[in-house]
Amino acid sequence: MDTFNISIRKAERMFRTIVATIALSLLLVTATGAQTTAEWKKLKGDINLFVANDLGRNGYYDQKPIAELMGQMAEEIGPEAIIATGDVHHFDGVVSVNDPLWMTNYEQIYAHPELMISWFPVMGNHEYRGNTQAVLDYAKVSRRWQMEDRYYTKVFTDEESGVSVRVILIDTTPLIDKYRSDSRYPDAGNQDIQRQLQWLDATLQASRETWTIVVGHHPIYAETKKDIVEQEDMRRLVLPILRKHNVDMYICGHIHNFQHITMPSDPIDYVVNTAGSLSRKVKPIEGTQFCSPATGFSVISATKQSLSLYMIDSKGVVIYATPPRKH
């Protein structure tokens, strides 16, 4: 009889533990945000953009599920465009506009009807291992690959609400000395650094939009095992221009995880968007507001009053949202 009672008590404790675990899990899901179509709709602003990068794994790892998720969420949010912050092609770029990697890394993977919209890419370091001119020329092949140049700018407006977002897309690989001197990146040393920096300064000077976002492949601030000189070069060349013009947000890829960093020296939100296929571990550093090794993508949502970025994991859950920037 005593053994029976002990077994009952053990079963009851186990049941309570399971119930508590389920309740906690549900609470965490609710707290972290969207995972249903109804919740996804709540992310929608007057202007919406998706951010994806570090994609090209020929559909392996999480690339295909995340691509499908992006399409499903696009059905609810209706993004104006997709900002691709580099390394669409791992590992050695492409050799031509007819390279099969265009199919296996991009066209056949991001095939959902709602992703047949404008993609505005920048080159990552892996594109610079191949034929960079072919990356530009693919805009003549693919209607949605709208890469005007190595660096360029796009403005998105919503006339009804009066909100506008300027996205400035820069070419960061040539700005970093180690790539310019590395034979694996033959075209990096051929680019005119000062010309790009002068263009960035002039473009920001002329910007009158509600919100201004600068996009590049490499980080200005991030936790990473990659060479710190990459960030040092970016802080030396790019950061003074961004601070001068009070940019709202700098978004990059390259590190393969989610990070949001703020620094006491300026009000810019530094966002690392995670890989859309294979991610890496991450830990907090000075200024870290959030970090996660999850794979996924991000959603930018803008209104006249606020600008937010939502980090979406591979299950469609909002695991973090940057505090809304206010005007």
Side-chain angles (χ1 to χ4, degrees):
M1 187 68 174
D2 291 340
T3 302
F4 177 78
N5 288 335
I6 291 172
S7 298
I8 289 293
R9 286 197 294 272
K10 285 184 177 178
E12 288 175 344
R13 284 198 297 271
M14 183 177 295
F15 177 77
R16 286 196 295 268
T17 301
I18 292 171
V19 170
T21 301
I22 293 172
L24 179 60
S25 299
L26 291 173
L27 179 63
L28 288 173
V29 166
T30 303
T32 52
Q35 66 169 9
T36 66
T37 55
E39 289 295 314
W40 291 343
K41 289 180 180 179
K42 296 178 182 179
L43 309 182
K44 187 173 182 177
D46 296 317
I47 294 174
N48 308 280
L49 303 167
F50 283 5
V51 183
N53 50 266
D54 296 280
L55 307 173
R57 301 281 178 168
N58 292 291
Y60 283 84
Y61 306 100
D62 287 344
Q63 190 182 13
K64 282 184 180 178
I66 290 172
E68 183 62 25
L69 173 65
M70 288 172 63
Q72 293 169 358
M73 290 190 70
E75 291 178 353
E76 307 302 327
I77 296 174
E80 277 69 31
I82 298 170
I83 308 299
T85 65
D87 283 1
V88 173
H89 298 291
H90 285 80
F91 291 89
D92 294 319
V94 291
V95 297
S96 72
V97 295
N98 299 313
D99 194 316
L101 288 177
W102 286 109
M103 294 296 111
T104 59
N105 276 340
Y106 179 58
E107 298 288 1
Q108 294 175 355
I109 307 300
Y110 303 95
H112 192 287
E114 294 298 325
L115 302 182
M116 298 298 163
I117 58 177
S118 297
W119 286 59
F120 297 107
V122 298
M123 292 193 208
N125 52 296
H126 284 284
E127 275 82 16
Y128 264 90
R129 287 189 179 187
N131 184 344
T132 57
Q133 188 59 47
V135 179
L136 294 169
D137 290 344
Y138 197 67
K140 302 173 185 176
V141 176
S142 172
R143 185 174 176 181
R144 58 178 172 165
W145 187 265
Q146 297 194 23
M147 189 173 188
E148 297 177 5
D149 211 330
R150 294 175 189 269
Y151 48 91
Y152 57 107
T153 185
K154 302 300 297 185
V155 175
F156 303 90
T157 60
D158 180 73
E159 294 183 2
E160 185 175 345
S161 66
V163 63
S164 58
V165 178
R166 179 176 289 276
V167 179
I168 299 174
L169 302 103
I170 63 174
D171 188 19
T172 58
T173 302
L175 301 177
I176 296 169
D177 285 344
K178 76 169 194 175
Y179 294 117
R180 297 176 66 85
S181 59
D182 190 329
S183 61
R184 292 177 300 169
Y185 308 90
D187 208 22
N190 297 328
Q191 308 309 312
D192 188 333
I193 293 177
Q194 290 307 314
R195 181 180 179 183
Q196 180 178 182
L197 296 175
Q198 290 168 5
W199 172 88
L200 176 61
D201 187 34
T203 302
L204 285 168
Q205 181 67 43
S207 178
R208 296 294 182 271
E209 284 67 39
T210 314
W211 307 105
T212 303
I213 299 171
V214 176
V215 170
H217 182 63
H218 292 85
I220 293 175
Y221 292 105
E223 190 280 325
T224 178
K225 292 181 180 179
K226 292 179 181 288
D227 200 332
I228 193 63
V229 299
E230 296 181 0
Q231 294 182 54
E232 291 173 347
D233 285 347
M234 290 292 291
R235 291 198 285 264
R236 176 172 55 87
L237 296 176
V238 177
L239 184 55
I241 302 174
L242 304 190
R243 286 177 172 171
K244 173 183 175 182
H245 298 288
N246 298 313
V247 165
D248 294 300
M249 190 175 289
Y250 178 77
I251 303 174
C252 71
H254 192 51
I255 310 301
H256 292 226
N257 47 51
F258 282 123
Q259 299 184 50
H260 175 216
I261 293 173
T262 59
M263 303 301 289
S265 53
D266 64 57
I268 300 171
D269 284 307
Y270 299 97
V271 172
V272 178
N273 186 59
T274 193
S277 54
L278 185 64
S279 62
R280 301 187 180 111
K281 295 179 180 179
V282 64
K283 62 180 183 291
I285 58 171
E286 179 187 2
T288 298
Q289 306 303 307
F290 175 81
C291 62
S292 168
T295 54
F297 67 104
S298 290
V299 176
I300 297 170
S301 175
T303 68
K304 188 77 172 180
Q305 293 75 34
S306 67
L307 174 70
S308 296
L309 181 139
Y310 300 97
M311 296 179 177
I312 315 295
D313 73 5
S314 61
K315 305 300 182 184
V317 175
V318 178
I319 58 174
Y320 179 75
T322 59
R325 297 183 70 90
K326 301 289 187 180
H327 267 307

